[in-house]
Amino acid sequence: MNKKVNDTKEEPGVFQNNESIITKCPNCKKILYSKELYKRLNVCSNCDHHLMISSTDRMEALLDEGSETRLFEGVTSVNPLDFPNYESKLESDKEKTGLNEAVIVSEGTLDGSPVVIAIMDARFRMGSMGSAVGEKLARAFNHATEKRLPVIVFTASGGARMQEGIISLMQMAKVSVAVERHSSAGLLYIAYMTNPTTGGVSASFASVGDINLAESGALIGFAGRRVIEETIKEKLPDDFQTAEFLLKHGQLDDVVDRRSMRDYLSRILSMHSEVK
């Protein structure tokens, strides 16, 4: 029988538009039924490897059915530096992903607890932080501050978006200021790092949550392994820049299996609500 197999090297996501009947795990190489993998939130049943999951699928898995209100969908990137072919690349990503930017923001309830959730998506310009991404995240925190709601941000990014130069780097400060205002109002921010969280995103708002979590096996760091090794002239540990390494060295509060993320976050939100 002729079956379509999702067997690409770049892990483009799983069970997209029902096109792939089976998927090969990039870690253990086991062949998995895509529908069953989708039900397990794209976590391999054989080795527990966390494959890429889209921002919309993650949001659907988190928020209570019928509670979601999508926010700031009109905020999209422009080309402030007239970078060649930037607009065409944006349009290509919009068509490929069904998104208008590398982050989505929604307000809703998670197991009954009101919350604002922002989820970055590495399928769109590698989740890079452009002006529109920074604007949507800053607005998410400002909206949550006005409505006195907790915020959860799932990061997945290659860092700053090169096509926007210094304007991209400015988003680190802009979002961090919005985080500080939210914190000063006595409100909860959960930073939840997923694979990969690197560059300016890891160096700013991804690391300043009241609670800092990460997904199992996530790559987290600022500069790449090769650059660091060449700088310090030493060989780094094999698990360097993984979520588990950061937990061991006190930079995270916990590492969470994706299949447990909803229950885990529900308990935090519930405890926070009781304390208030």
Side-chain angles (χ1 to χ4, degrees):
M1 180 165 49
N2 183 22
K3 295 184 177 180
K4 292 183 73 174
V5 182
N6 187 341
D7 185 21
T8 62
K9 295 181 180 179
E10 56 186 5
E11 238 181 90
V14 180
F15 192 43
Q16 295 179 13
N17 302 320
N18 298 331
E19 290 180 356
S20 304
I21 296 174
I22 54 180
T23 298
K24 181 186 287 187
C25 174
N27 185 57
C28 69
K29 311 306 179 185
K30 183 178 177 63
I31 299 299
L32 308 164
Y33 283 104
S34 297
K35 286 186 178 181
E36 294 302 314
L37 185 60
Y38 179 81
K39 292 176 183 177
R40 293 192 301 273
L41 300 180
N42 294 1
V43 178
C44 177
S45 59
N46 186 56
C47 68
D48 291 334
H49 177 71
H50 287 46
L51 287 80
M52 185 180 289
I53 184 172
S54 71
S55 55
T56 48
D57 284 346
R58 190 188 293 273
M59 190 74 80
E60 182 180 354
L62 287 166
L63 292 179
D64 299 334
E65 186 176 357
S67 73
E68 180 184 5
T69 300
R70 190 67 60 83
L71 304 174
F72 319 126
E73 284 293 275
V75 179
T76 58
S77 291
V78 293
N79 190 4
L81 305 182
D82 292 325
F83 199 94
N85 302 318
Y86 184 33
E87 291 99 331
S88 62
K89 290 178 179 178
L90 289 172
E91 290 305 316
S92 175
D93 280 1
K94 288 177 182 180
E95 183 177 348
K96 179 178 66 177
T97 64
L99 306 174
N100 69 350
E101 249 308 331
V103 64
I104 60 172
V105 180
S106 293
E107 178 183 348
T109 59
L110 195 164
D111 207 13
S113 297
V115 65
V116 171
I117 299 178
I119 305 177
M120 301 182 75
D121 198 314
R123 299 174 304 154
F124 195 108
R125 296 290 89 206
M126 198 48 219
S128 53
M129 180 180 57
S131 55
V133 169
E135 181 66 19
K136 291 181 77 168
L137 287 167
R139 289 192 189 189
F141 279 98
N142 293 338
H143 177 81
T145 303
E146 291 174 7
K147 301 194 70 172
R148 299 201 59 78
L149 296 174
V151 174
I152 305 171
V153 177
F154 288 83
T155 56
S157 179
R161 189 172 296 180
M162 60 174 250
Q163 293 92 343
E164 297 188 26
I166 189 65
I167 297 172
S168 175
L169 294 174
M170 290 167 59
Q171 307 312 308
M172 296 168 61
K174 182 167 76 174
V175 177
S176 296
V177 168
V179 172
E180 172 59 26
R181 289 174 182 155
H182 185 261
S183 177
S184 296
L187 301 168
L188 175 67
Y189 166 37
I190 301 173
Y192 201 128
M193 289 171 265
T194 71
N195 187 53
T197 296
T198 62
V201 171
S202 70
S204 57
F205 57 88
S207 302
V208 294
D210 298 302
I211 299 174
N212 292 320
L213 305 175
E215 203 158 72
S216 300
L219 169 66
I220 302 167
F222 182 69
R225 170 187 287 268
R226 180 179 58 81
V227 173
I228 297 172
E229 287 183 336
E230 289 179 354
T231 301
I232 67 175
K233 308 302 180 185
E234 291 183 18
K235 177 70 175 174
L236 294 168
D238 290 339
D239 64 347
F240 181 70
Q241 293 187 325
T242 64
E244 289 74 14
F245 181 90
L246 267 62
L247 177 64
K248 188 191 309 181
H249 289 81
Q251 292 181 267
L252 292 172
D253 294 301
D254 208 353
V255 174
V256 185
D257 186 292
R258 186 184 297 157
R259 293 163 293 187
S260 304
M261 67 174 176
R262 190 176 194 276
D263 290 339
Y264 195 105
L265 292 170
S266 174
R267 291 196 299 272
I268 294 175
L269 293 174
S270 179
M271 287 188 290
H272 178 71
S273 178
E274 290 173 4
V275 170
K276 287 197 301 181

